[in-house]
Amino acid sequence: MNSIFTRVFSPSSQEKDLKRNYHELYKVLIGTMLFLTLIPVLITAFFSYQNYKNLLQVSEKAQLQSRLEGSTRVLTAMMDNILSVIDLLATENTYHAIKTEEGIANISKLIKKEYRYITDIGVINNLGVQQAYSGDYPLLGESYFGDNWFSNVLAKGLYISPVYLGHRNTPHFTIAVATNDKKTKSSWILRATINASNLKALLATIKTDASEDIFLVDNNNILQTSSVFFGPTFSIYTPENINKIQNKSYILATAKVPHTPWTLVMVEKNYFAEENWNNFTKTLICIFASCFIGSTIIAVLLAQAIVRRIQKTDALQVQLLQEAEHTDRLVSMGRLAAGVGHEINNPLAIINQKNGLAEDLLLLSDDFTYKQDILTILQSINNNVDRCKAITHRLLGFARRGDNKVEPVDVNYVIQEVLSFLENAIMYKKIDIQLSLELQNAKIMCNQTQLQQVFLNIINNSIDAVNPHDCIKIFSHIQAKVIDITIQDNGIGMSSEHITHLFEPFFTTKETGKGTGLGLSITYGLVKKMEGDIKVESEVGHGTTITITFPLYNN
Amino acid sequence: MKKNKTIRILIIDDEAEFAQTLCTRLQLRDYKSQIAISGHDGLDLLEKESFDVVILDLRMPDIDGIETLTIIKNKYPHTEVIILTGHASFKTGQQGMQGGAFDYLMKPVDLNILLEKIHDAYSKSHLND
């Protein structure tokens, strides 16, 4: 049940404003909490992402580089081997022995047995004419004079050429050794060629599982073998292309192959495409998502709790304020009423005396026509003065001499006494009075007559409110240092509008002349004077419950 | 009514109309009554004549009722004072009774009740006679 004040004061526009503020406060709280919790999470996630990315990048790069170096070593060793074998053959055999068909066939057989990538082998004299040839192309007698490789091998003695098309019109490269004939003292050249396709096959053998692409470029950035990403042999390998590849989740590493004109290029899928990275990003997203959900739930719950707490405090504050205002209003009205009472008493006393004097004089005078009528009129004036007097005297709560003694009074005794006063009315309406009183230590410090007046007013009102045969319950309850006395009826009840004015002087719902509207106003004043409190709960058609609380007398 | 003639009553009340009317009514009943419309006037009259009972208002412009009561009870302990006021309150009631008033009544008062009090007061003032 709500207290009188919560029922009385309907939500004002101020309360609606408060509600809107609560909603805003709620939003701000959630926002702030989410911001405070999620910003560190986001920062951590961002740095973890970046760090892990860098870490993976560095590690990937290092791994690729080490694999590339391994492959380069293999390739270098292979080229060195071929070169040294050719060098050995050129040194160990004479020009004349080797340039015969049989000689070249033997050497070719020998060399191809060991190095099956070698496409052909030939002997070239110092004029650049091919003297002997073992291979698939019709190159016997072909002149290489003026070719790049020819001048290079004559100048350097040992030479590995970049890939070129040459007379056979097929991409290939040359490994050649120039030697002086011991007899003629003139230079001759033993040359082996390897087709680019074979070179590609060779690279395939040193390719690792992780490699997406492996190819060779020469010093002029021309592709020596075909590449998955950069196109067929002789395509140009440009830095722009490299960037394009690197952005597309691949990484690339290069290493110069010693003793050759080549650079080995290896392309690998980078970490982005790898399971490791995917797992990491998934985990990161999961962690962030769960943080977000968790923070949101906590923020919402916390914000709700905080707003509820604030709302409760505010409501209490509003209630206290309203109670204080209400009490203050009642006190002022009481004072006002008392003032009015005082001011009216004096003129009323004059009317009273003048009226009395008129009566006196009439009684002393002889009979005349209207004497009796005038006496009746004066009596009527007197009666009405008495009515006014009753009102002003009640308004002032005037108690006669000896009645203002304050002493410990047994509440139960006073209730019983009041009920005995009202016995006739109770019997007349056949009202069932149900008493449930706490008998022990039910004493309060007050003036007995005033306490009688309090209960008389309230019980009288209850009797007026109930129908015949209805029931009025009166029960008392002692708790801590106070006693609660509750008078409950199942009568006609009151609207909240009526409850608001209940304790105001001259407020009455009774027919004109049947009630002065002072009873409960005086009751309220008396209860407050006894340092007590009075609360009303009522519903139209369901009855009224009035609870009076007094501090207990403590001897 | 023979007894009435022996009772001397002074009404001290700044409401002259009230005092005068009450005085007339008392005189009609053979009481020896007089009025004073201020505390000072009342005390002056008491200096000149003696009264058995004083009917005293509380709120007056010069000296208020409580003060007047104190002076009367000091100077004329045998004169009984009945306070009759429109501005009754517990506080003034208490002060009045403590100050030695015989009784404390609130305006408007029924003349018969007042007369009863006057007789009671008179009896008290002449208890030792």
Side-chain angles (χ1 to χ4, degrees):
Chain A
M1 282 255 205
N2 294 334
S3 80
I4 165 176
F5 298 104
T6 52
R7 285 178 128 249
V8 161
F9 297 91
S10 59
S12 63
S13 62
Q14 194 191 346
E15 278 171 59
K16 276 174 204 158
D17 282 351
L18 279 176
K19 254 178 212 167
R20 192 163 55 238
N21 286 345
Y22 291 137
H23 193 66
E24 257 154 47
L25 176 70
Y26 178 68
K27 284 196 281 188
V28 167
L29 274 174
I30 289 180
T32 312
M33 280 190 275
L34 278 182
F35 180 80
L36 287 179
T37 48
L38 290 182
I39 286 298
V41 173
L42 263 174
I43 291 171
T44 314
F46 175 76
F47 281 109
S48 316
Y49 179 88
Q50 287 295 336
N51 278 347
Y52 193 59
K53 191 171 150 184
N54 288 343
L55 203 72
L56 278 179
Q57 226 164 8
V58 168
S59 127
E60 285 279 340
K61 258 264 155 68
Q63 282 180 27
L64 177 63
Q65 203 63 45
S66 97
R67 276 198 290 273
L68 182 73
E69 273 163 22
S71 300
T72 311
R73 270 196 297 277
V74 171
L75 193 65
T76 310
M78 225 171 240
M79 288 305 135
D80 282 354
N81 272 349
I82 295 170
L83 200 61
S84 57
V85 164
I86 291 169
D87 188 30
L88 186 71
L89 287 170
T91 332
E92 291 301 310
N93 293 292
T94 60
Y95 173 63
H96 287 284
I98 215 164
K99 74 172 188 180
T100 63
E101 203 168 314
E102 201 187 343
I104 197 78
N106 278 340
I107 282 174
S108 174
K109 199 175 169 187
L110 195 74
I111 213 164
K112 278 189 178 173
K113 191 179 171 189
E114 199 66 36
Y115 305 103
R116 56 194 168 84
Y117 306 110
I118 290 180
T119 310
D120 57 10
I121 191 153
V123 177
I124 292 122
N125 66 11
N126 58 355
L127 295 172
V129 177
Q130 183 130 287
Q131 300 295 312
Y133 177 75
S134 166
D136 298 336
Y137 301 100
L139 297 172
L140 191 65
E142 195 73 58
S143 169
Y144 298 103
F145 192 81
D147 280 11
N148 232 349
W149 72 265
F150 181 70
S151 45
N152 267 314
V153 76
L154 281 181
K156 293 173 182 169
L158 296 173
Y159 181 65
I160 297 173
S161 79
V163 175
Y164 62 101
L165 281 172
H167 299 277
R168 71 188 70 170
N169 206 27
T170 303
H172 68 286
F173 72 95
T174 290
I175 304 170
V177 176
T179 319
N180 281 329
D181 184 59
K182 281 165 190 160
K183 285 178 185 170
T184 61
K185 299 292 177 195
S186 63
S187 300
W188 63 281
I189 293 159
L190 181 60
R191 177 185 92 138
T193 69
I194 297 172
N195 276 357
S197 56
N198 286 358
L199 186 60
K200 183 78 193 167
L202 188 75
L203 287 180
T205 61
I206 58 170
K207 186 181 158 186
T208 66
D209 288 344
S211 310
E212 285 293 311
D213 195 7
I214 187 165
F215 57 92
L216 291 165
V217 293
D218 72 0
N219 295 334
N220 298 320
N221 280 338
I222 289 165
L223 248 64
Q224 304 291 289
T225 60
S226 65
S227 153
V228 177
F229 296 108
F230 296 94
T233 314
F234 299 132
S235 301
I236 294 183
Y237 166 78
T238 58
E240 293 84 43
N241 291 341
I242 298 167
N243 285 341
K244 220 183 268 174
I245 282 182
Q246 275 183 331
N247 287 343
K248 280 188 178 171
S249 61
Y250 291 99
I251 52 166
L252 178 146
T254 59
K256 190 101 184 73
V257 185
H259 314 132
T260 70
W262 302 322
T263 299
L264 183 62
V265 182
M266 206 179 240
V267 179
E268 281 188 3
K269 253 190 187 159
N270 77 1
Y271 56 90
F272 284 122
E274 279 188 12
E275 208 179 337
N276 244 0
W277 177 251
N278 287 342
N279 284 345
F280 171 72
T281 48
K282 270 182 206 161
T283 313
L284 204 63
I285 289 168
C286 280
I287 290 172
F288 184 74
S290 47
C291 274
F292 181 79
I293 293 167
S295 307
T296 310
I297 292 170
I298 290 169
V300 166
L301 291 178
L302 260 176
Q304 272 175 352
I306 291 170
V307 168
R308 222 174 284 147
R309 181 68 62 89
I310 291 172
Q311 240 167 338
K312 226 181 227 178
T313 316
D314 283 355
L316 194 71
Q317 207 178 348
V318 167
Q319 191 189 325
L320 287 176
L321 204 70
Q322 287 172 341
E323 268 180 51
E325 271 174 19
H326 194 250
T327 310
D328 193 49
R329 194 147 55 100
L330 289 176
V331 168
S332 324
M333 291 181 102
R335 269 198 205 124
L336 188 73
V340 170
H342 279 137
E343 293 311 317
I344 286 174
N345 269 348
N346 281 326
L348 210 54
I350 295 169
I351 295 169
N352 188 34
Q353 288 310 324
K354 294 277 181 200
N355 200 54
L357 183 58
E359 274 182 322
D360 291 349
L361 295 174
L362 272 178
L363 289 172
L364 289 173
S365 67
D366 297 330
D367 269 358
F368 58 94
T369 323
Y370 297 113
K371 185 178 175 182
Q372 205 49 49
D373 293 337
I374 293 172
L375 271 174
T376 314
I377 290 166
L378 291 178
Q379 189 54 49
S380 166
I381 292 173
N382 221 16
N383 290 343
N384 284 291
V385 166
D386 281 348
R387 264 179 75 182
C388 292
K389 189 173 95 175
I391 292 170
T392 55
H393 283 204
R394 289 191 82 182
L395 209 52
L396 296 169
F398 183 70
R400 288 190 42 73
R401 181 170 70 96
D403 279 352
N404 53 3
K405 196 169 152 197
V406 173
E407 60 197 338
V409 176
D410 188 332
V411 176
N412 297 320
Y413 171 74
V414 174
I415 292 172
Q416 302 275 13
E417 206 181 31
V418 167
L419 287 173
S420 70
F421 287 162
L422 296 167
E423 209 166 15
N424 279 338
I426 294 165
M427 293 249 294
Y428 177 71
K429 270 189 131 176
K430 297 189 172 64
I431 294 164
D432 177 19
I433 301 278
Q434 291 183 6
L435 273 181
S436 168
L437 301 174
E438 277 206 43
L439 298 172
Q440 292 295 310
N441 305 316
K443 280 188 177 176
I444 64 166
M445 205 57 183
C446 68
N447 176 272
Q448 188 165 332
T449 316
Q450 289 172 3
L451 191 62
Q452 276 174 2
Q453 201 178 353
V454 167
F455 289 122
L456 197 68
N457 283 334
I458 292 170
I459 299 172
N460 218 356
N461 280 346
S462 289
I463 292 171
D464 286 344
V466 295
N467 293 318
H469 303 286
D470 272 354
C471 158
I472 295 173
K473 286 179 192 166
I474 302 170
F475 44 94
S476 62
H477 174 62
I478 291 174
Q479 55 172 5
K481 287 172 181 169
V482 297
I483 179 166
D484 289 331
I485 303 110
T486 305
I487 294 120
Q488 191 176 46
D489 68 59
N490 55 357
I492 51 173
M494 283 175 283
S495 65
S496 49
E497 172 66 21
H498 279 171
I499 298 176
T500 325
H501 300 293
L502 195 60
F503 296 120
E504 290 172 8
F506 302 112
F507 176 79
T508 180
T509 55
K510 293 176 185 174
E511 288 167 43
T512 314
K514 286 203 172 174
T516 56
L518 288 171
L520 282 179
S521 164
I522 288 163
T523 301
Y524 182 86
L526 292 175
V527 170
K528 283 288 166 190
K529 202 168 120 187
M530 295 172 201
E531 290 171 357
D533 199 11
I534 183 161
K535 279 189 173 168
V536 182
E537 290 154 12
S538 187
E539 209 176 320
V540 175
H542 288 87
T544 303
T545 303
I546 292 186
T547 305
I548 312 167
T549 308
F550 287 120
L552 277 172
Y553 167 66
N554 184 12
N555 56 353
Chain B
M1 286 285 164
K2 198 186 171 186
K3 199 185 175 186
N4 291 358
K5 286 179 186 169
T6 60
I7 305 177
R8 294 156 301 175
I9 304 165
L10 173 62
I11 303 161
I12 307 175
D13 198 318
D14 63 323
E15 286 272 3
E17 227 181 334
F18 173 79
Q20 191 53 61
T21 315
L22 182 60
C23 184
T24 312
R25 292 187 77 193
L26 291 174
Q27 283 165 353
L28 283 173
R29 284 162 179 78
D30 286 336
Y31 291 93
K32 285 186 174 175
S33 65
Q34 286 194 53
I35 63 161
I37 53 162
S38 73
H40 277 302
D41 288 358
L43 291 172
D44 286 349
L45 267 175
L46 280 163
E47 286 273 307
K48 291 174 204 157
E49 297 176 39
S50 60
F51 290 90
D52 300 306
V53 178
V54 175
I55 293 165
L56 181 63
D57 189 17
L58 283 183
R59 274 214 194 169
M60 286 181 298
D62 53 353
I63 5 174
D64 75 7
I66 297 295
E67 214 180 322
T68 313
L69 169 73
T70 315
I71 297 168
I72 294 171
K73 287 311 281 184
N74 272 339
K75 280 190 169 175
Y76 323 103
H78 291 295
T79 303
E80 290 302 330
V81 179
I82 295 168
I83 292 170
L84 177 61
T85 181
H87 293 270
S89 72
F90 281 113
K91 200 180 158 196
T92 54
Q94 225 162 10
Q95 283 175 335
M97 297 318 288
Q98 279 165 0
F102 178 76
D103 210 337
Y104 186 94
L105 296 173
M106 192 171 171
K107 283 182 188 173
V109 71
D110 188 75
L111 187 66
N112 294 326
I113 293 170
L114 183 62
L115 290 176
E116 228 172 84
K117 292 291 166 197
I118 288 170
H119 281 275
D120 288 349
Y122 178 78
S123 308
K124 193 189 169 196
S125 73
H126 291 80
L127 212 62
N128 301 323
D129 293 354

